[in-house]
Amino acid sequence: TLSGGEGRKWAEKFYNQRYKNLEDLKKRRVGKISAYEAWPLFEGIISLINTYKNQTEELYLIQLGSCSGADLHIIYDHFPSINCISTDINDEILEFQKEKYQSNFKYFKCYAEDIDKCLINFNLKNKKVILFSCGSLQYLNPYHLEVFFNKMQSINNIDLFICDTVGLDFIENTLTAKSEIRFDIVFNHKYKQYLTGNFEILKNKIIKPFEKDDLNNSNIAHTYLHIKYN
C-alpha cells in the first residue's frame, strides 16, 4: 500500500499536519485538551531522559513506524546529544526523512515485529534503549503484535512507550477480545493483555480527549503505556 510514491505522499502529509515542537503540542487542541495532554508519551519520554542528566549521549531512542519523523524530531530537538534511530517499513518514507532533517539520525527499515534485527544491527545489546510507538502499533494485526511482544520479553534494560488511538467502547469492555479490527487495516488493541516476561508497567492510562456529545469523536480515546523490561 506504500509503493509507487504512496510512501512519500503519506510521509509528506503527516509532515505538514504533525506537531513541530513541544510548544506546538501544547498550543494545538485535540478535542477538549491540548495535543500534549492527548499524547502523553512525549512528556513521559522527556521525563525519563531528564533522569540521565548529562549522560544523554549514552541513550538510544528508537521510534517504531516513524512516518514523517516529526515525533522523533520533537524529542531530538530537546536532547540533541541523544542517539536517534528512525524505523519504518518503507524506503520512500525513510528517504523523505533524510531529505527533511539535517540531523544525526540513523535509519533502519523493518517491521515492528522485527525490532530485534534493529537492535542487533546497531549493537545495542548492552545499551540503554528507549523504544516508542506513537500511533503505529494499531496497524499491526494481532499475530504480528504477539510476535513483537514475545521478542520484547527477551530484551533487557529497555523502556517501551506506546500511545495509540483506540475505540473507547472496545477498551472499556472487559468481555471483548484482545484485539479487533477498527476499520480497514487499523486495529483496536488491549496491549496490556499481550505483555509477557519480566516487565513492570509504570504507566497505564486511557485518555478521553473528546466530549460525550461529540457525535463524530466521542468513541475515540488514546491508550498510553510505559513498560519497563528488566
Side-chain angles (χ1 to χ4, degrees), residues 91-107:
D91 288 318
E92 292 179 11
I93 287 174
L94 296 177
E95 287 302 319
F96 174 86
Q97 291 182 33
K98 292 175 185 177
E99 294 171 14
K100 286 293 181 183
Y101 302 113
Q102 301 299 315
S103 61
N104 294 321
F105 281 18
K106 292 181 172 60
Y107 299 90

Side-chain angles (χ1 to χ4, degrees), residues 25-204:
L25 273 165
K26 293 174 181 178
K27 288 177 182 177
R28 291 209 214 176
R29 306 297 293 176
V30 178
K32 60 186 178 182
I33 60 179
S34 70
Y36 188 71
E37 295 168 303
W39 299 100
L41 91 168
F42 291 100
E43 181 180 12
I45 292 172
I46 288 171
S47 294
L48 176 61
I49 296 173
N50 275 330
T51 65
Y52 286 84
K53 298 180 180 179
N54 297 323
Q55 297 177 316
T56 53
E57 69 278 357
E58 298 178 11
L59 297 177
Y60 288 80
L61 179 67
I62 306 174
Q63 183 175 6
L64 295 166
S66 53
C67 193
S68 70
D71 299 328
L72 192 60
H73 212 270
I74 285 173
I75 301 170
Y76 172 79
D77 276 348
H78 210 65
F79 300 101
S81 64
I82 198 169
N83 301 286
C84 289
I85 301 174
S86 176
T87 77
D88 208 285
I89 66 172
N90 181 265
D91 288 318
E92 292 179 11
I93 287 174
L94 296 177
E95 287 302 319
F96 174 86
Q97 291 182 33
K98 292 175 185 177
E99 294 171 14
K100 286 293 181 183
Y101 302 113
Q102 301 299 315
S103 61
N104 294 321
F105 281 18
K106 292 181 172 60
Y107 299 90
F108 192 76
K109 180 183 176 183
C110 73
Y111 291 89
E113 63 269 24
D114 292 327
I115 190 60
D116 54 320
K117 295 179 181 178
C118 177
L119 299 177
I120 292 170
N121 182 75
F122 293 105
N123 194 27
L124 302 183
K125 182 178 180 181
N126 298 313
K127 305 294 185 180
K128 175 57 188 171
V129 175
I130 301 171
L131 178 66
F132 77 98
S133 169
C134 186
S136 294
L137 287 181
Q138 62 183 326
Y139 293 101
L140 264 68
N141 63 48
Y143 171 78
H144 288 123
L145 187 65
E146 192 155 9
V147 172
F148 168 75
F149 279 112
N150 283 341
K151 288 186 176 180
M152 287 300 301
Q153 69 177 316
S154 63
I155 302 171
N156 299 323
N157 195 31
I158 187 168
D159 284 85
L160 173 63
F161 289 84
I162 300 171
C163 201
D164 230 328
T165 304
V166 67
L168 188 58
D169 55 358
F170 168 81
I171 207 72
E172 290 186 336
N173 188 342
T174 58
L175 299 179
T176 55
K178 293 194 294 186
S179 297
E180 70 174 15
I181 293 176
R182 189 158 80 248
F183 62 87
D184 294 335
I185 58 170
V186 181
F187 289 83
N188 287 322
H189 295 304
K190 294 180 178 177
Y191 294 109
K192 186 179 176 181
Q193 294 187 22
Y194 282 91
L195 298 176
T196 59
N198 186 20
F199 65 88
E200 180 183 1
I201 298 176
L202 301 180
K203 290 286 184 181
N204 181 25

